[in-house]
């Protein structure tokens, strides 16, 4: 078959020359294939991990500053029969923040109750959060049905509660829970609404409590009345009484630019008002920035590994092309004698390397798209293949083919025709 | 027609020397050769082994350059041409036939014949028809799809001759073109050369066999890189 287009003719010639050594061409292609596939797969896994970490941080609300109660380290080993441990954030803290910072939209108190939740024979242990109506806005939870808590619930100390979707499904597998009643500890509450879950929980946990499946929200005032602020834990021969007024205060800052300032002010205020370090300040925005920094480092590491594997592929190509050029010295001499210019020889060999690396690149993209799918199915890790990744990996592989093919091609073109013709 | 063009110079050597440097010593493979090959002439170049026949043919074929002196081909002094121009000249004006055929193994017969065309700036419309015609002419019309390893030595050399003719060259250069062939096949190849000569082609044929050398109209005898004798053969 005679092809008139000079370029296509060269490509066809390149392919038929490569097919003279099928195994060799295949193995060379394999080198590029793995380079490209590993680049795509690593980027996809990295992107997926960082995306799910960022997702979790974003769920905390990037415009929020979160204050948490932390149990202070116990300094003395006491053998008293009754130990009372009182620590953490207070209503006083909440009011002071509310009254001090004009840039704050709302300050939401959260008290957590360690009670079991039941409906008939069904039991679960979600986070039971006593809070106020602003919680949903500040954390961006989406209403699925019914309504969220209101300020009226709060002022009436209404025994109302809102379930998150997974809790609702667990307790009411077949019907809507709205209007039904459930039991928390020894108290009965009426379900008024359901909110959607907070998305998949990924590999990086911000805080162990978020790993608990599901939440139940009830008005803070009602929670205080029903469960109080003290918890009693029995130990061998003694009783531990823990008193925590608020477990969490979510400070919803109107303007994200004010977040660092508000966070610093909260830290300063808590440091002044609390004699012990029984609190911590979590700034999702800072975590987000740190996660981005981590991702940047991750990308540099991945980039180097990927670069090295592609380099290895490129060296493989160069090696094979040098062997090919040596083997085909005589052919080069013939072509030169029949009128081929140096340029023609360079193009001929460059086309061959480009075909090699291009085939490796295409196969690598295919494998590189399959690997993340397998990882996602078997390791239960989220992966994200950005459209740039395959394009980038393919482009680099072809580029490497050309770069590493240049020297062999140049060697071929600069052979002395007489010497080349004499070559066996 | 042959009588008109005989006055034109096809190739001219002016005191050509070709010196190889072997470490500190020098070997003059060609040591001051001056000669004119006229258009339409059929020359054989003879001499003992090492006398410089191949070296001379390489220079005549523009794949090698003289160390000293000048080589004029088609009116152009070779020393004034750069590598690209020499390549063009080889492709367009010269046709090579080698002792070991030198076909490209991954190409079929037709593609091999067309190799010199591939390096022209443009693909001429006549190329394919002419290639088929030439294949027919050298007796390989039915085997255009075969690859060189599937052909006998004689057949391969015919392909090489067709390839040398595809661009209608001014000069056909053959180095021991029958050297690898048995006498019957060699005879067939030589008949093709006779025909080409009759058509007015200029042919320079290197050989060390007298019988072969005497088929050409004239013989250039080399010895130690010099012209020993110029003989008119009467057949
Ligand atoms: N590349 C080279 N380097 C060094 N010396 C060379 C080279 N090529 C040829 N020679 C020398 O030049 C001389 C002429 O060689 P050439 O190949 O032209 O001989 P020839 O007449 O073709 O011989 P043969 O009949 O054996 O083919 C020889 O002495 C040879 O050793
Ligand atoms: Mg020789």
């Amino acid at each position: 078959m005679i092809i008139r287009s000079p370029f296509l003719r060269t490509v066809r010639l390149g392919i038929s020359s490569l097919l003279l050594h099928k195994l060799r061409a295949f193995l060379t292609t394999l080198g590029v294939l793995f380079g490209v596939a590993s680049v795509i797969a690593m980027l996809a896994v990295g992107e997926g991990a960082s995306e799910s970490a960022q997702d979790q941080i974003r769920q905390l609300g990037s415009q929020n500053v979160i204050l948490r109660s932390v149990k202070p380290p116990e300094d003395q080993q006491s053998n008293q029969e009754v130990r009372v441990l009182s620590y953490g954030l207070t209503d006083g803290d909440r009011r002071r923040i509310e009254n001090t910072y004009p840039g704050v939209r709302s300050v939401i108190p959260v008290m957590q109750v360690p009670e079991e939740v039941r409906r008939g024979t069904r039991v679960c242990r979600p986070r039971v959060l006593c809070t106020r109506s602003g919680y949903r806005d500040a954390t961006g939870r989406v209403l699925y049905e019914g309504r969220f808590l209101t300020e009226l619930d709060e002022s009436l100390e209404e025994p109302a509660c809102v379930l998150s979707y997974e809790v609702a499904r667990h307790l009411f597998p077949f019907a809507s829970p709205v209007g039904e009643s459930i039991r928390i500890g020894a108290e009965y509450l009426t379900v008024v609404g359901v909110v959607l879950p907070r998305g998949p929980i990924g590999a990086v946990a911000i805080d162990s409590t978020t790993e608990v499946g599901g939440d139940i929200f009830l008005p803070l005032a009602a929670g205080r009345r029903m469960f109080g602020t003290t918890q009693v834990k029995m130990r061998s021969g003694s009783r531990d009484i823990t008193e925590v007024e608020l477990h969490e205060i979510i400070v919803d800052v109107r303007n994200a630019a004010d977040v660092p300032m508000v966070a610093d002010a909260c830290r300063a205020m808590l440091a002044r008002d609390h004699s012990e370090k029984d609190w911590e300040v979590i700034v999702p925005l800072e975590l987000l920035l740190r996660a981005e920094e981590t991702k940047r480092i991750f990308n540099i590491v991945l980039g180097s590994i990927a670069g090295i594997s592609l380099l290895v592929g490129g060296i493989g190509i160069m090696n094979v092309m040098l062997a090919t050029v040596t083997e085909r010295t005589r052919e080069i001499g013939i072509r030169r004698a029949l009128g081929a210019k140096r340029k023609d020889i360079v193009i001929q060999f460059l086309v061959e390397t480009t075909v090699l690396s291009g085939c490796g690149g295409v196969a690598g993209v295919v494998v590189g798209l399959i690997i993340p799918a397998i990882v996602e199915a078997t390791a239960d890790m989220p992966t994200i293949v950005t459209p740039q990744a395959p394009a980038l990996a393919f482009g680099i592989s072809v580029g490497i083919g050309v770069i590493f093919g240049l020297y062999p091609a140049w060697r071929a073109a600069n052979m002395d025709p007489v010497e080349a013709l004499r070559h066996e | 027609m042959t009588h008109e063009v005989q006055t034109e110079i096809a190739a001219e050597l002016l005191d050509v020397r070709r010196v190889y440097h072997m470490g500190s010593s020098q070997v003059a493979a060609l040591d001051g050769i001056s000669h004119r090959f006229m258009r339409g002439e059929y020359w054989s170049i003879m001499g003992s082994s090492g006398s410089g026949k191949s070296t001379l043919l390489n220079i005549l074929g523009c794949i090698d350059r003289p160390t000293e002196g000048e080589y004029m081909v088609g009116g152009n002094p070779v020393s004034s041409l750069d590598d690209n121009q020499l390549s063009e000249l080889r492709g367009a004006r010269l046709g090579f036939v080698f002792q070991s055929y030198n076909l490209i193994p991954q190409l079929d017969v037709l593609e091999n014949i067309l190799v010199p065309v591939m390096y022209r700036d443009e693909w001429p419309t006549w190329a394919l028809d002419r290639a088929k015609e030439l294949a027919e002419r050298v007796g390989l019309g039915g085997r255009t799809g075969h690859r060189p390893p599937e052909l006998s030595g004689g057949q391969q050399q015919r392909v090489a001759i067709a390839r040398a003719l595809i661009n209608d060259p001014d000069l056909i250069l053959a180095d021991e073109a029958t050297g690898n062939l048995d006498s019957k096949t060699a005879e067939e190849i030589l008949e093709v050369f006779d025909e080409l000569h009759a058509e007015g082609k200029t042919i320079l044929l290197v050989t060390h066999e007298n019988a072969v050398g005497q088929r050409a109209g004239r013989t250039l005898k080399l010895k130690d890189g010099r012209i020993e004798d110029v003989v008119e053969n009467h057949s």
Side-chain angles (χ1 to χ4, degrees), chain A residues 32-33 35-36 310 314 317 353-354 356-362 365 390-404:
Chain A
V32 180
L33 186 158
V36 170
L310 277 173
I317 287 189
T353 54
T354 311
L356 266 184
S357 58
C359 288
V362 168
V365 167
L392 181 83
F394 179 76
I396 290 177
S397 74
V398 171
I400 278 198
V402 171
I403 289 167
F404 282 86

Side-chain angles (χ1 to χ4, degrees), chain B residues 49-50 52-55 99 175-176 206 208:
Chain B
S49 184
K53 304 184 294 294
S54 295
T55 307
Q99 178 173 1
D175 193 352
E176 308 272 15
V206 165
H208 61 264

Side-chain angles (χ1 to χ4, degrees), chain A residues 22-325:
Chain A
K22 292 194 187 64
L23 181 63
R24 188 161 77 183
F26 171 72
L27 291 176
T28 316
T29 310
L30 222 53
V32 180
L33 186 158
F34 285 125
V36 170
S38 66
V39 172
I40 297 173
M42 279 195 282
L43 283 179
V45 171
E47 195 70 32
S50 97
E51 187 59 35
S52 73
Q54 295 195 3
D55 232 37
Q56 276 180 288
I57 295 166
R58 254 183 247 116
Q59 279 165 10
L60 293 173
S62 59
Q63 86 291 4
N64 290 347
V65 174
I66 296 166
L67 317 185
R68 278 208 182 126
S69 295
V70 180
K71 191 175 182 179
E74 282 174 84
D75 35 20
Q76 84 267 17
Q77 195 65 39
S78 87
N79 290 321
Q80 286 168 282
E81 285 217 338
V82 179
R83 287 195 302 164
V84 180
L85 184 63
S86 175
Y87 68 89
L89 303 165
T90 62
D91 276 327
D93 294 328
R94 184 184 66 78
R95 268 193 302 278
R96 265 192 296 282
I97 296 166
E98 210 164 41
N99 297 336
T100 315
Y101 307 119
V104 167
R105 186 178 2 219
S106 57
V107 181
I108 296 122
V110 180
M111 184 184 81
Q112 198 169 344
V113 181
E115 297 285 358
E116 269 179 359
V117 179
R118 294 168 184 275
R119 177 199 162 239
T121 55
R122 296 181 165 268
V123 187
C124 64
R125 276 192 142 288
R127 293 197 304 177
V128 179
L129 302 175
C130 309
T131 184
R132 298 180 56 165
S133 61
Y135 185 93
R136 192 173 76 85
D137 262 355
T139 56
R141 303 288 297 246
V142 179
L143 203 59
Y144 173 70
E145 59 177 328
R147 60 172 177 85
F148 198 70
L149 304 173
T150 61
E151 279 309 295
L152 197 64
D153 293 332
E154 182 65 22
S155 48
L156 295 178
E157 296 184 17
E158 203 69 50
C161 68
V162 173
L163 311 182
S164 75
Y165 186 80
E166 50 278 51
V167 177
R169 276 290 83 86
H170 181 73
L171 298 179
F172 299 90
F174 308 115
S176 165
V178 176
E180 304 291 323
S181 77
I182 59 165
R183 212 178 86 196
I184 300 177
E187 307 285 341
Y188 286 90
L189 293 95
T190 308
V191 178
V192 296
V194 177
V195 293
L196 288 181
R198 295 221 288 193
I201 303 303
V204 187
I206 301 306
D207 168 84
S208 61
T209 55
T210 58
E211 280 178 350
V212 175
D215 307 299
I216 289 185
F217 307 96
L218 54 140
L220 180 62
R224 287 234 168 103
R225 179 173 55 75
M226 292 171 178
F227 308 106
T229 54
T230 54
Q231 295 160 23
V232 181
K233 220 189 270 170
M234 303 298 291
R235 293 206 310 193
S236 55
S238 70
R239 272 192 304 168
D240 277 358
I241 299 175
T242 316
E243 180 172 20
V244 179
E245 223 168 281
L246 291 177
H247 288 87
E248 203 170 277
I249 296 175
I250 300 171
V251 183
D252 182 351
V253 182
R254 195 166 310 166
N255 189 342
D258 293 338
V259 165
M261 189 268 287
V262 172
D264 285 344
C266 288
R267 283 191 189 104
M269 193 198 77
L270 292 173
R272 186 195 64 202
D273 294 349
H274 289 236
S275 56
E276 284 177 301
K277 178 88 168 71
D278 56 358
W279 49 270
E280 65 177 349
V281 175
I282 295 164
V283 187
L285 193 67
E286 285 174 6
L287 294 177
L288 202 63
L289 294 178
R290 221 178 302 154
E292 262 157 26
E293 175 64 14
T294 311
K295 184 190 168 189
R296 206 177 63 84
I297 294 169
F298 202 59
N299 278 349
I300 291 173
V301 173
L302 282 185
S304 327
I305 295 172
I308 289 170
S309 61
L310 277 173
L311 195 73
V312 171
I315 291 170
I317 287 189
M318 181 141 145
N319 198 4
V320 160
M321 287 317 291
L322 283 175
T324 304
V325 165

Side-chain angles (χ1 to χ4, degrees), chain A residues 1-2 4 9 12-13 17 20 328 330-331 334-342 344 417-418 421, chain B residues 58 63 83-84 87-88 90-91 96 98 100 102 104 106-107 111 114-116 118-119 123 128 163:
Chain A
M1 183 184 44
I2 305 296
R4 282 196 174 74
R9 219 183 309 126
R12 201 182 87 87
L13 176 76
S17 303
L20 287 180
R328 284 161 60 195
R330 198 183 182 97
E331 178 191 329
I334 299 168
R335 289 180 179 278
R336 293 279 281 142
L338 298 182
K341 303 188 175 85
R342 288 207 170 104
D344 297 315
V418 178
L421 275 170
Chain B
N58 288 342
I63 51 176
D83 193 78
N84 279 344
S87 296
E88 257 168 49
R90 288 197 292 266
F96 286 90
F98 303 93
S100 46
N102 279 346
I104 296 173
Q106 60 269 40
L107 303 181
E111 289 169 327
L114 283 164
V115 167
M118 292 182 182
Y119 297 115
W123 182 270
L128 197 55
R163 180 177 69 183

Side-chain angles (χ1 to χ4, degrees), chain A residues 348-415:
Chain A
Q348 182 188 337
F349 282 97
L350 272 191
V351 163
E352 263 178 55
T353 54
T354 311
V355 167
L356 266 184
S357 58
C359 288
V362 168
V365 167
V366 172
V367 175
L369 293 178
I370 294 172
I371 293 177
I374 294 174
V375 167
E376 200 157 323
T378 57
D380 197 27
M381 258 169 77
T383 58
I384 296 172
V385 179
T386 57
Q388 303 93 286
L392 181 83
F394 179 76
I396 290 177
S397 74
V398 171
I400 278 198
V402 171
I403 289 167
F404 282 86
L406 268 176
Y407 174 65
W410 178 85
R411 273 236 320 226
N414 282 285
M415 281 177 181

Side-chain angles (χ1 to χ4, degrees), chain A residues 419 422, chain B residues 20-22 27-29 47-56 175-176 206 208:
Chain A
E419 292 292 326
R422 200 180 292 164
Chain B
Y20 290 108
H21 297 266
M22 307 283 288
V27 180
S48 56
S49 184
S51 57
K53 304 184 294 294
S54 295
T55 307
L56 180 63
D175 193 352
E176 308 272 15
V206 165
H208 61 264

